[in-house]
Amino acid sequence: MDKNSLRDALQQGIYSVINPFVRLLIRLGFTPNVVTTTGLILNIGVAAIFIWGGETSNRGELEYVGWAGALVLFAGVFDMLDGQVARLGNMKSTFGAMYDSVLDRYSEMIMFMGICYYLIAHHYLLSSLFAFIALIGSMMVSYTRARAEGLGVECKGGLMQRPERVVLIGVSAIACGIISSFVGADYKVYVEGIPFHVFETMSVFTLPITVMAVMTNITAYNRLMDSKRAMEQKEMATR
């Protein structure tokens, strides 16, 4: 089973779990656009938690990171619900698909704004830079697909698509908050001969963001190259 098949199988498994809730939303009168808007509002809440934590907590207080991570995952559920509400409720529309894509981009940028604010406020300056690079990569993963498909080329491959990004940020943030309550927020690991620590409690959250910064941009580049090859093949076929 290739990566795309595995991803599709996991997605179908998740759909089988959430479909009863989807049908409940449809009976209550929820439309796909309402569900999408709810996801945006929740991501605004994520940013608010990070900003509030940046303003009111000390560098060693990581409970805000954990609570924000929980809300990231909850908001991420609505990314899946809107499409299912459209499908099961027979409410698909071209504008709805565009509305979903646009609000997803707003949601992600707003979430990263909160993350960057928190990291800068607590002087994790290098980590804030990687968070910004991760934001750039995330936007380019989406943009390369949209641009390629606008030119008639399918472009869906690669790691670190939106569901993976949401899960990685949410799980790592929750783990950071939980681990800090056991080992302390100031836990550090030193290696002999290196004058600075190589790991700290906050790294549970910031290292995955660093990985995301690398992987999203690699994915965007790979999609660009895949699109180039597909376009060259189409041009050759028409000659």
Side-chain angles (χ1 to χ4, degrees):
M1 182 180 290
D2 61 27
K3 289 184 290 186
N4 289 334
S5 298
L6 177 60
R7 190 173 185 274
D8 290 341
L10 289 172
Q11 191 175 56
Q12 292 305 315
I14 294 171
Y15 284 154
S16 66
V17 173
I18 67 174
N19 279 349
F21 182 58
V22 170
R23 294 187 179 94
L24 174 62
L25 291 178
I26 294 170
R27 286 198 296 271
L28 292 173
F30 279 75
T31 66
N33 288 353
V34 170
V35 176
T36 301
T37 304
T38 303
L40 173 64
I41 293 170
L42 291 173
N43 276 288
I44 291 172
V46 170
I49 292 173
F50 275 119
I51 291 171
W52 185 255
E55 284 294 308
T56 63
S57 67
N58 296 318
R59 180 183 170 98
E61 297 172 355
L62 302 180
E63 62 269 19
Y64 287 96
V65 176
W67 285 112
L71 190 54
V72 166
L73 292 183
F74 184 59
V77 172
F78 285 82
D79 285 341
M80 302 186 68
L81 288 177
D82 53 8
Q84 281 300 90
V85 168
R87 282 185 284 272
L88 296 184
N90 195 26
M91 290 182 277
K92 289 184 180 180
S93 70
T94 303
F95 174 74
M98 181 176 180
Y99 186 77
D100 178 36
S101 296
V102 171
L103 262 65
D104 279 353
R105 303 291 80 73
Y106 271 116
S107 292
E108 199 155 16
M109 287 188 286
I110 289 168
M111 177 190 69
F112 272 108
M113 177 188 70
I115 292 172
C116 288
Y117 189 98
Y118 182 91
L119 294 173
I120 291 171
H122 290 298
H123 308 292
Y124 296 101
L125 301 182
L126 184 59
S127 294
S128 69
L129 175 62
F130 280 112
F132 186 71
I133 295 172
L135 170 59
I136 293 172
S138 298
M139 293 301 102
M140 293 311 299
V141 166
S142 300
Y143 180 77
T144 49
R145 174 179 175 178
R147 187 66 179 126
E149 291 181 349
L151 294 170
V153 174
E154 188 176 88
C155 183
K156 294 183 178 180
L159 297 173
M160 286 301 159
Q161 299 181 57
R162 180 155 169 77
E164 291 92 330
R165 298 194 299 267
V166 168
V167 170
L168 183 62
I169 289 178
V171 170
S172 62
I174 292 171
C176 182
I178 292 174
I179 290 172
S180 69
S181 66
F182 288 98
V183 304
D186 292 326
Y187 176 78
K188 293 179 174 63
V189 175
Y190 291 88
V191 174
E192 187 176 352
I194 299 177
F196 52 85
H197 62 270
V198 297
F199 184 88
E200 60 181 321
T201 309
M202 189 62 171
S203 301
V204 176
F205 179 52
T206 56
L207 283 179
I209 289 178
T210 302
V211 172
M212 185 186 301
V214 175
M215 295 305 299
T216 51
N217 285 284
I218 289 175
T219 297
Y221 174 78
N222 287 339
R223 283 187 171 186
L224 180 63
M225 293 298 100
D226 289 344
S227 299
K228 178 178 181 290
R229 286 189 290 269
M231 290 173 187
E232 288 174 345
Q233 290 174 359
K234 285 183 67 174
E235 290 172 357
M236 290 291 293
T238 57
R239 288 179 184 174

